[in-house]
């Protein structure tokens, strides 16, 4: 994907990447399922996928913990 080409120059060589989907509080407006996000993360070679909501703060602690592993 084009957005990944914009990210790669800022990542160290072999830096583990984590794909994060936001707005998980808007379940009825979802355009990508969690399974699709997981598959994309795997296909792109990311080490993990997670979902968050900036509005409700749901999932943020989990993402931070995954990033620190």
């Amino acid at each position: 994907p084009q957005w990944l080409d914009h990210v790669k120059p800022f990542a160290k060589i072999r830096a583990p990447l984590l794909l994060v989907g936001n707005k998980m509080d808007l379940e009825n407006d979802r355009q990508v399922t969690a399974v699709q996000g997981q598959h994309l993360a795997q296909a792109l070679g990311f080490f993990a996928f997670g979902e968050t909501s900036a509005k409700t703060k749901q999932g943020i602690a989990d993402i931070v913990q995954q990033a620190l592993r």
Side-chain angles (χ1 to χ4, degrees):
Q2 187 178 10
W3 58 267
L4 186 54
D5 293 333
H6 294 288
V7 172
K8 284 185 178 181
F10 297 99
K12 293 180 181 180
I13 296 173
R14 296 178 152 192
L17 297 174
L18 172 68
L19 183 62
V20 179
N22 195 23
K23 299 192 181 287
M24 71 183 290
D25 56 298
L26 300 176
E27 184 66 34
N28 293 333
D29 296 328
R30 181 181 283 275
Q31 295 182 11
V32 177
T33 67
V35 171
Q36 289 172 316
Q38 291 169 345
H39 288 163
L40 179 60
Q42 290 173 349
L44 295 175
F46 286 24
F47 83 93
F49 169 77
E51 294 184 300
T52 65
S53 167
K55 182 177 181 179
T56 67
K57 298 179 178 57
Q58 184 179 3
I60 293 174
D62 294 335
I63 292 297
V64 171
Q65 287 178 353
Q66 286 186 37
L68 294 175
R69 288 183 190 164

